[in-house]
Amino acid sequence: MAERTAVTFTEIPLQTLTGLVNGWGTLPREGDGRGDAPHRPVSDIAPHLGLPPRVSAGLTPEALAHAADHLHPAFSAQDAEACARHLTRLLADGGVRPVVGIGDGGALRAVWSVDDADHALVAAAAITLRQYLAAHGFARIGVCTAGNCADVYLDQSPGGRRRFCSVTCQNRTRVAAFRSRKAAST
């Protein structure tokens, strides 16, 4: 994508954001042994990113991996300040600026714009994560604590205690802890 035309976009759905980072990011793919496996087709995720069709049509596996790798450090940041600095850098590097758009029925709505289509995906994902953090706080994002997993999560649970990317990782960790305790007691 070498196009240098302004692109206007909105936030990415939350599930699509984590799917992008976990499905295309280098660390998550290496963490669970998918590093050399082929990626899913770009067409599986592109329509769900909320980007204009002219931008989605030009997405490549490399562009998705690039975006995922640039977003993962926000999830793995050690504290809210480091996460904020990283997201601020992503937004500044992309030249993100607010725009007022027209929604259904002529209502005004907040949208975002970048001058370079190459920055649209990272910018849209960073805006989504920024909006989520502003509403829920830094404690509601993270990297799975299961061994051999680097997938990210957004904690939308009522209690806010999520520490695993999935029930599968949570169950594997619990079974391993149980077996460890059982072996230690015999």
Side-chain angles (χ1 to χ4, degrees):
M1 293 185 339
E3 185 176 345
R4 295 196 69 83
T5 303
V7 176
T8 303
F9 54 89
T10 59
E11 293 87 14
I12 294 173
L14 294 174
Q15 185 174 4
T16 303
L17 173 62
T18 55
L20 169 67
V21 177
N22 294 337
W24 296 88
T26 303
L27 288 174
R29 289 177 52 80
E30 288 175 355
D32 65 7
R34 293 176 291 149
D36 294 332
H39 288 97
R40 294 184 348 233
V42 173
S43 60
D44 285 358
I45 194 167
H48 306 288
L49 294 171
L51 298 173
R54 66 184 171 89
V55 176
S56 294
L59 290 174
T60 63
E62 294 79 19
L64 292 172
H66 171 82
D69 289 345
H70 277 76
L71 293 161
H72 197 279
F75 287 90
S76 62
Q78 295 301 310
D79 55 41
E81 187 176 326
C83 179
R85 277 193 312 270
H86 184 73
L87 283 175
T88 299
R89 191 172 34 256
L90 289 178
L91 295 170
D93 289 351
V96 177
R97 64 186 178 280
V99 179
V100 178
I102 306 296
D104 294 337
L108 298 178
R109 64 186 182 107
V111 295
W112 305 92
S113 180
V114 294
D115 287 333
D116 187 344
D118 288 344
H119 296 280
L121 177 57
V122 172
I127 286 289
T128 301
L129 190 52
R130 182 214 134 337
Q131 301 288 74
Y132 185 81
L133 289 168
H136 303 286
F138 175 72
R140 293 294 192 125
I141 68 168
V143 177
C144 185
T145 59
N148 297 328
C149 186
D151 282 5
V152 302
Y153 62 84
L154 294 167
D155 185 355
Q156 296 177 296
S157 69
R161 295 189 192 119
R162 184 173 178 177
R163 298 295 168 250
F164 298 97
C165 65
S166 66
V167 173
T168 302
C169 277
Q170 182 179 15
N171 288 341
R172 279 189 202 140
T173 301
R174 286 182 176 170
V175 167
F178 172 78
R179 289 180 179 159
S180 177
R181 286 190 307 272
K182 188 174 179 180
S185 68
T186 55

